[in-house]
Amino acid sequence: EVQLVESGGGLVQPGGSLRLSCEGSGFIFNNFWMHWVRQAPGKGPVWVSRISSDGRSITYADSVKGRFTVSRDNAKNTLYLQMDSLRAEDTAVYYCVRDKYFYDSSGFRLLSDAFDVWGQGTLVTVSS
Amino acid sequence: DIQMTQSPSSLSASVGDRVTITCRASQTVNSYLNWYQQKPGKAPKVLIYAASNLQSGVPSRFSGSGSGTDFTLTISNLQPEDFATYFCQQSHSTPYTFGQGTKLEIK
């Protein structure tokens, strides 16, 4: 079974740090780009960061740039999100997400990529 | 950043109905548009990728159309398990962005 399991969430004070982990199983982890997506209570999902399959290409949302660091250990099939200088507005459920590239029947033309596997989410609460 | 605007924000319908949700992008995303379904307490699930392609395992009563900036998700013959919140999402360029969601409720 293809699965992503997050851990590491919890309650932290403003200005504090947390490290989230996400372990993948049931698929070849190092074949896929991976993302973090967060969702505040009652709100829509918001993209946070992505990392290429080999870890060399990384992109962040402006709202977390300079505070969050994404990384991966393909030997351990694990994705990480180091979150520093946390703010109240970072409070959300954080999802680890697999990015699948979809091609046409020829196998050469990229149609789109989409988030096809999601973890169960881990809640991060930033509050004093 | 590309802004995604969905309408309506909520919708009431009955089992067996056909409903349509629209999504508009602030600039072209070509066909890099995906649709997700989310039920309370669960992670989103992809239904449609590349605007009109049904993800494996998703019932054929779900369909998508559009390209460029205007897209639609149609659900035919609504089933009880379809009452949920639906989001569009563009994967044309980072930051990947989602619509604000459409909550589909039972009438």
Side-chain angles (χ1 to χ4, degrees):
Chain A
E1 180 190 5
V2 173
Q3 203 171 0
L4 294 169
V5 179
E6 300 101 337
S7 60
L11 175 63
V12 61
Q13 292 188 338
S17 298
L18 272 180
R19 188 195 199 202
L20 306 183
S21 299
C22 167
E23 184 172 0
S25 60
F27 65 101
I28 302 174
F29 187 79
N30 61 12
N31 279 358
F32 291 87
W33 289 55
M34 298 294 295
H35 299 246
W36 288 99
V37 173
R38 68 186 181 185
Q39 189 169 25
K43 303 292 187 181
V46 175
W47 176 81
V48 171
S49 179
R50 76 172 179 184
I51 184 167
S52 61
S53 54
D54 61 6
R56 294 182 181 183
S57 177
I58 289 173
T59 313
Y60 297 100
D62 285 347
S63 59
V64 306
K65 201 174 295 182
R67 300 187 300 122
F68 289 12
T69 303
V70 64
S71 61
R72 64 192 297 163
D73 183 339
N74 285 339
K76 295 182 178 179
N77 292 340
T78 301
L79 174 72
Y80 302 99
L81 186 67
Q82 176 67 41
M83 303 186 295
D84 299 318
S85 302
L86 282 161
R87 306 166 180 168
E89 55 264 36
D90 295 318
T91 294
V93 173
Y94 283 72
Y95 293 102
C96 162
V97 179
R98 188 178 84 168
D99 192 355
K100 181 172 180 177
Y101 282 72
F102 294 91
Y103 294 87
D104 70 1
S105 55
S106 74
F108 293 102
R109 186 171 73 92
L110 176 65
L111 297 177
S112 182
D113 60 303
F115 300 149
D116 75 322
V117 180
W118 296 62
Q120 84 285 359
T122 187
L123 177 62
V124 172
T125 303
V126 184
S127 175
S128 55
Chain B
D1 297 2
I2 299 175
Q3 308 303 317
M4 308 301 293
T5 303
Q6 284 180 238
S7 61
S9 55
S10 64
L11 179 58
S12 293
S14 301
V15 172
D17 283 355
R18 173 187 169 106
V19 298
T20 297
I21 299 169
T22 66
C23 178
R24 174 165 288 176
S26 61
Q27 63 192 76
T28 184
V29 297
N30 296 321
S31 291
Y32 287 77
L33 190 285
N34 310 306
W35 288 96
Y36 299 83
Q37 176 194 66
Q38 186 175 31
K39 296 182 178 179
K42 300 293 187 182
K45 167 191 168 184
V46 63
L47 302 173
I48 301 284
Y49 63 89
S52 61
N53 294 269
L54 199 64
Q55 169 68 331
S56 176
V58 175
S60 59
R61 61 181 180 272
F62 291 90
S63 63
S65 65
S67 67
T69 61
D70 293 303
F71 302 88
T72 60
L73 172 70
T74 299
I75 314 171
S76 302
N77 187 23
L78 271 172
Q79 297 300 299
E81 60 267 29
D82 300 336
F83 292 94
T85 301
Y86 294 85
F87 297 96
C88 60
Q89 175 245 339
Q90 64 82 17
S91 57
H92 177 272
S93 55
T94 57
Y96 287 0
T97 44
F98 292 81
Q100 81 280 12
T102 296
K103 187 173 184 179
L104 177 56
E105 299 174 306
I106 301 175
K107 186 183 289 184

